[in-house]
Amino acid sequence: MNISKIVLGPVGTNTLIVPLNNKYSFIVDPANFDESSHRELQSVLDYLKTTPIAIVLTHGHFDHVSGISFLHQKFNIPVFISKEDSIFIGPSSELFQLKLLESCFFESFLPKVSNLPQASGFLKDGTSLKDCWKVQNIFPGSTNKELIDAVNNLADWKIIATPGHSRGSVCLYNEIEKQLICGDTLFDGGWGRTDLYSGSESEIIESLKNLKNKFGGKNYCLWSGHGFCGFSI
């Protein structure tokens, strides 16, 4: 599986394009926030000859959600996030994004994360991305075999709740391909900060223990929200 990484946004967020088959994919944490970054993301999609069918958010922080309006409008695709972090998107997103931005002295970014599309479905611990799709019921009655195949392949991506960086942080993993998408829960040599709104140091320590118990020593390829990817626990 060739996951593609694009570093976008003002704090270097890893936006991931995850293939589902030769034609379709889903996008994790789109951080494109202006016309230049929109063009960059689109150029990569064109190069890969892939069309996204879903937006998946590991958490709701401003630097991971600023590109969802562009993708939602361009491709008319659903946005999936945990219920706990869904407060960071939707029509009232600026209320909670401002809490984050003030703690980072980055209030000028607020217009980029105001009036975001609301969640189409919720990422739940122990379920798969296909389960989210069932709730949303996108493209009912479609006879596009490649699209149906892509939707069915969403079942290979499972969700594990990893609260701590935010209350609703999640990771995604694929047991067949040995891939783990961790957002800001885990970095190469560290983990996400917990001093922001809804963060918890005790919760992230427990989440890290759970990740190590589940994936440690199993040669999973890890994809973090920032910095180097490709390491293992």
Side-chain angles (χ1 to χ4, degrees):
M1 173 181 294
N2 296 316
I3 295 177
S4 298
K5 181 186 81 170
I6 314 172
V7 181
L8 295 171
V11 293
T13 303
N14 294 333
T15 293
L16 305 178
I17 302 172
V18 183
L20 292 167
N21 56 22
N22 290 331
K23 188 172 181 180
Y24 294 102
S25 57
F26 66 90
I27 295 183
V28 178
D29 294 349
N32 48 312
F33 70 103
D34 59 14
E35 290 300 323
S36 176
S37 52
H38 294 342
R39 287 194 298 270
E40 182 177 359
L41 177 58
Q42 185 61 59
S43 68
V44 175
L45 291 172
D46 291 342
Y47 174 77
L48 296 172
K49 298 180 180 179
T50 188
T51 299
I53 64 170
I55 302 163
V56 181
L57 305 174
T58 61
H59 61 294
H61 287 179
F62 66 94
D63 53 319
H64 290 253
V65 305
S66 57
I68 66 175
S69 293
F70 167 75
L71 290 169
H72 183 70
Q73 292 169 5
K74 184 174 179 61
F75 297 102
N76 190 28
I77 54 178
V79 181
F80 299 134
I81 191 172
S82 68
K83 187 173 184 178
E84 293 83 358
D85 269 25
S86 63
I87 59 174
F88 293 114
I89 63 175
S92 299
S93 58
E94 66 271 12
L95 299 177
F96 294 95
Q97 291 292 349
L98 183 58
K99 293 178 181 290
L100 294 171
L101 294 168
E102 286 177 336
S103 62
C104 300
F105 304 101
F106 207 39
E107 295 92 332
S108 62
F109 198 73
L110 185 60
K112 306 294 184 182
V113 288
S114 297
N115 299 312
L116 295 172
Q118 64 185 8
S120 308
F122 298 127
L123 305 174
K124 298 179 181 179
D125 184 63
T127 66
S128 74
L129 292 183
K130 175 74 179 297
D131 295 321
C132 292
W133 191 276
K134 286 179 181 177
V135 172
Q136 180 65 11
N137 195 26
I138 303 294
F139 305 141
S142 174
T143 57
N144 182 331
K145 292 183 179 179
E146 289 179 303
L147 176 59
I148 294 171
D149 174 66
V151 172
N152 286 333
N153 287 340
L154 287 170
D156 295 335
W157 285 96
K158 305 296 194 304
I159 301 152
I160 180 170
T162 54
H165 180 61
S166 70
R167 185 173 295 117
S169 288
V170 300
C171 293
L172 312 170
Y173 65 97
N174 187 315
E175 293 178 320
I176 299 172
E177 299 289 342
K178 292 292 188 293
Q179 304 285 334
L180 174 62
I181 297 173
C182 352
D184 285 2
T185 295
L186 180 61
F187 303 129
D188 183 23
W191 55 85
R193 59 189 295 185
T194 58
D195 60 325
L196 301 176
Y197 178 75
S198 86
S200 168
E201 187 73 10
S202 61
E203 286 187 343
I204 204 169
I205 294 300
E206 286 303 311
S207 293
L208 293 171
K209 289 178 181 178
N210 290 338
L211 289 177
K212 185 174 182 179
N213 289 337
K214 187 173 182 64
F215 302 106
K218 296 183 179 179
N219 295 318
Y220 272 72
C221 180
L222 271 60
W223 297 83
S224 291
H226 302 273
F228 177 72
C229 296
F231 60 98
S232 59
I233 300 178

